[in-house]
Amino acid sequence: MEKRYDIIIIGTGAGGGTLAYALKDSGMKILILERGDYLPEEPENWNTKAVFTEKRYKTKEYWYDEQGNPFSPGTNYCVGGNTKVYGAVMYRLRKEDFKEIKHEGGISPAWPIDYEDLEPYYARAEELYLVHGKSGEDLTDPPRSSPFPFPEVPHEPTLEKIAARLKKQGLNPLHLPMAVDLHEGGKCIRCKTCDGFPCNIHAKGDADVCCIQPALKSPNVTMITNAYAHRILTDESGSRATAVEFEKDGKIFIVVADTIVASCGAVNSAALLLRSANAKHPEGLANQSGLVGRNYMMHINTAVIALEPRENPTVFQKTFALNDFYFGSSTFPYPMGNVQMLGKLQGSMMKDKKPFIPYPILNGVAKRSIDFLLMSEDLPDNENRVTLTEDGKIQVQYKVNNMNAHKELIKETKKMLKRAGYPILVAQPMGGIETNSHQCGTIRFGNDPDTSVLDQYCRAHTVQNLYVMDASFFPSSAALNPVLTIVAQALRVGNHLLKQKTIIPAGESMHVSK
């Protein structure tokens, strides 16, 4: 194993994987560390019971709540990270989401950049991740410099009927922006095992397929799997990160780099910086502001199940969305959030929430259901935070907020679906501390070192060559799927590094302080 690199990227998800892709042709010597392995290609990829009941691909580790009770987090350690099992929805944030917004439950703070700063990178991200969509349907859409790179994924007949009924109500149903390989000659077969499943045929636009695999074709890019990063080391001044200490096969290694990037996800990147405390950074690396781990956010999610006696023959259900209530309504002048389809529910998917209901009943319900996901913004709160226990385990302190807006979104959704002909509607909260697929905010970026940890290019204010590239940097969560924004910022940061990078020759020594 070589011990000296220009850049070390820790993590292969939407942030780390995309950044590796962006730098693959730079000539820089890049090392990618991934704590997991390649997710296996096997029949269980599309087995509902294996994925949802047995949780075959989720981590087996436990995190701890505020009271010290263990819980199993909904996260995946593998090449590609959580994008291997995400729902493949890739929204741009709305232009207004970058500004301060007043919510019923508090303030969503402004970002240090504007939508226009990310727009060209959004366009590149959509092309890179195979995003299919249709411009002009969504009244909340921000301005675009180019159309979607691929046409929208068409609705199946049942969803076409719902869309028509909602249009008659004066609403604006739209096609979800989906990252799937559905263009001519593509691999996607529009199955019902997309949302929450690994794709057995690599037809999902994930960080492994779109970024890591192409990056590894470069002779300058190396990846080590099953490599758990314990901590980031600095020089004696504490002003420069110098090396990463990681464990593989029970052995400890130290690798040195000129630039180090943490891309472990909002919880694990915060935990890594906290574990990296030293004499110059006693509260955690780059934590002079005290904000590392704070302002942990997830979205507030509820599934609304519409039932009717007839069976729903839809297979690929995740094509439909509605943003009419995103910024509020005439009766509730605060943002509510986004409505979009879930992947088609199957009985085993509901067993966790309804453990005492027999499978035949759950399967019968699933055959007749049309399944919606309601997503509201989770506002930043200093006391919602990630810390470490005395023995170094991850502890999450979290209380939900902005619930009145979410309740209004549920109410509006039920009203529109009843008018559309669905008399039986069941709302099932999808929250809980273990449900963290949209985790963000723990290492926020900003212009003021006193109120943020990173600058606008995700570089630590107090450690000049340390970057964090995942959803940790979000100052607010908005109410849309975060992956496209992570990818766009990773491309932007990659472009910045290409312009700013000063490569120290690989043979030059660097003192490492532990």
Side-chain angles (χ1 to χ4, degrees):
M1 183 188 300
E2 296 191 39
K3 294 186 177 180
R4 169 83 205 173
Y5 296 87
D6 295 308
I7 298 179
I8 297 173
I9 299 172
I10 309 167
T12 59
T18 305
L19 184 61
Y21 177 90
L23 299 175
K24 67 183 175 64
D25 298 321
S26 66
M28 300 176 195
K29 200 175 189 178
I30 300 169
L31 174 65
I32 307 168
L33 297 176
E34 169 54 53
R35 72 180 293 175
D37 208 335
Y38 286 98
L39 194 147
E41 296 177 37
E42 55 188 4
E44 287 84 356
N45 292 163
W46 286 350
N47 184 292
T48 309
K49 191 173 290 188
V51 173
F52 286 90
T53 305
E54 299 169 6
K55 297 177 172 55
R56 184 178 182 86
Y57 304 110
K58 291 192 182 298
T59 178
K60 302 301 186 285
E61 76 176 357
Y62 285 94
W63 298 348
Y64 295 82
D65 66 15
E66 186 177 359
Q67 288 74 40
N69 301 311
F71 66 93
S72 179
T75 196
N76 302 264
Y77 299 144
C78 59
V79 178
N82 286 327
T83 67
K84 292 303 292 185
V85 297
Y86 80 141
V89 175
M90 282 206 157
Y91 263 116
R92 298 182 179 201
L93 297 190
R94 312 295 87 173
K95 185 173 182 177
E96 295 85 346
D97 286 325
F98 292 83
K99 306 295 185 182
E100 182 178 289
I101 300 178
K102 185 176 181 180
H103 287 252
E104 193 278 340
I107 298 296
S108 179
W111 290 37
I113 61 174
D114 294 322
Y115 169 77
E116 289 76 13
D117 294 311
L118 268 193
E119 199 286 328
Y121 300 101
Y122 271 137
R124 286 174 56 192
E126 288 169 341
E127 185 172 2
L128 178 61
Y129 276 75
L130 309 171
V131 179
H132 294 62
K134 186 175 182 179
S135 305
E137 295 181 306
D138 188 348
L139 300 181
T140 70
D141 257 348
R144 302 177 61 92
S145 59
S146 57
F148 281 96
F150 301 98
E152 70 275 14
V153 181
H155 300 319
E156 293 186 35
T158 299
L159 296 185
E160 284 283 13
K161 292 176 183 176
I162 295 175
R165 293 170 186 169
L166 295 182
K167 284 179 181 177
K168 287 183 178 179
Q169 297 179 32
L171 299 172
N172 297 277
L174 55 109
H175 291 82
L176 267 175
M178 293 294 295
V180 288
D181 190 10
L182 193 62
H183 59 282
E184 186 175 347
K187 299 174 183 176
C188 181
I189 59 174
R190 291 182 55 158
C191 66
K192 64 167 61 176
T193 49
C194 185
D195 192 2
F197 294 84
C199 184
N200 187 257
I201 56 175
H202 300 295
K204 188 185 295 187
D206 65 44
D208 171 30
V209 172
C210 296
C211 294
I212 292 295
Q213 292 181 26
L216 290 176
K217 292 179 181 177
S218 168
N220 295 315
V221 179
T222 302
M223 181 170 71
I224 303 174
T225 58
N226 298 303
Y228 174 66
H230 281 292
R231 54 190 181 135
I232 297 169
L233 310 178
T234 72
D235 62 12
E236 291 179 344
S237 72
S239 63
R240 288 187 64 84
T242 54
V244 178
E245 177 187 286
F246 72 92
E247 181 178 350
K248 180 177 172 64
D249 300 328
K251 298 178 182 179
I252 301 297
F253 300 88
I254 292 178
V255 283
V256 176
D258 183 39
T259 298
I260 294 171
V261 184
S263 300
C264 314
V267 171
N268 275 292
S269 282
L272 175 59
L273 297 193
L274 293 173
R275 285 198 305 271
S276 300
N278 60 28
K280 296 295 183 180
H281 299 269
E283 301 303 318
L285 191 58
N287 196 24
Q288 277 78 352
S289 64
L291 289 171
V292 171
R294 291 190 180 271
N295 298 297
Y296 174 61
M297 293 172 284
M298 308 180 283
H299 283 135
I300 308 165
N301 295 322
T302 293
V304 170
I305 312 302
L307 294 170
E308 61 177 350
R310 292 170 296 179
E311 291 191 4
N312 174 12
T314 305
V315 177
F316 195 90
Q317 186 172 262
K318 207 168 178 71
T319 63
F320 171 96
L322 195 88
N323 280 325
D324 290 69
F325 311 117
Y326 194 83
F327 292 116
S329 69
S330 59
T331 58
F332 188 81
Y334 299 100
M336 295 185 222
N338 167 260
V339 179
Q340 62 181 254
M341 302 308 298
L342 284 166
K344 186 67 200 81
L345 281 186
Q346 301 173 58
S348 297
M349 297 179 183
M350 297 185 280
K351 193 65 173 173
D352 258 7
K353 300 294 185 183
K354 305 295 179 184
F356 302 112
I357 299 179
Y359 276 112
I361 296 177
L362 292 175
N363 290 333
V365 169
K367 286 179 180 178
R368 292 163 176 81
S369 70
I370 300 171
D371 320 299
F372 297 83
L373 172 65
L374 280 55
M375 186 186 304
S376 297
E377 182 161 352
D378 182 14
L379 300 172
D381 181 338
N382 251 8
E383 296 308 310
N384 284 346
R385 62 185 301 201
V386 176
T387 56
L388 299 178
T389 63
E390 289 184 3
D391 56 352
K393 293 184 173 63
I394 290 174
Q395 189 163 33
V396 178
Q397 178 176 312
Y398 178 80
K399 291 181 180 176
V400 70
N401 59 47
N402 205 28
M403 277 302 297
N404 287 338
H406 191 62
K407 289 175 182 176
E408 288 293 325
L409 182 60
I410 295 171
K411 187 188 304 181
E412 291 289 352
T413 301
K414 286 185 171 181
K415 281 164 53 179
M416 77 177 188
L417 291 176
K418 280 187 177 179
R419 289 194 294 260
Y422 294 93
I424 303 174
L425 299 165
V426 179
Q428 174 61 57
M430 296 178 66
I433 198 169
E434 73 285 348
T435 307
N436 51 18
S437 54
H438 291 179
Q439 57 182 269
C440 61
T442 57
I443 311 174
R444 61 162 57 177
F445 74 166
N447 294 320
D448 184 351
D450 291 330
T451 58
S452 61
V453 183
L454 310 172
D455 70 12
Q456 65 164 297
Y457 292 105
C458 291
R459 182 180 69 87
H461 289 301
T462 56
V463 184
Q464 60 185 275
N465 61 334
L466 172 66
Y467 290 75
V468 180
M469 193 53 257
D470 53 37
S472 301
F473 77 85
F474 282 38
S476 64
S477 65
L480 294 167
N481 311 63
V483 176
L484 189 71
T485 300
I486 302 169
V487 171
Q489 176 70 349
L491 293 172
R492 180 172 178 264
V493 169
N495 187 56
H496 171 75
L497 284 170
L498 289 173
K499 291 179 178 178
Q500 301 295 319
K501 183 72 176 170
T502 302
I503 303 175
I504 297 176
E508 186 173 322
S509 63
M510 181 180 289
H511 179 71
V512 177
S513 174
K514 296 184 181 181

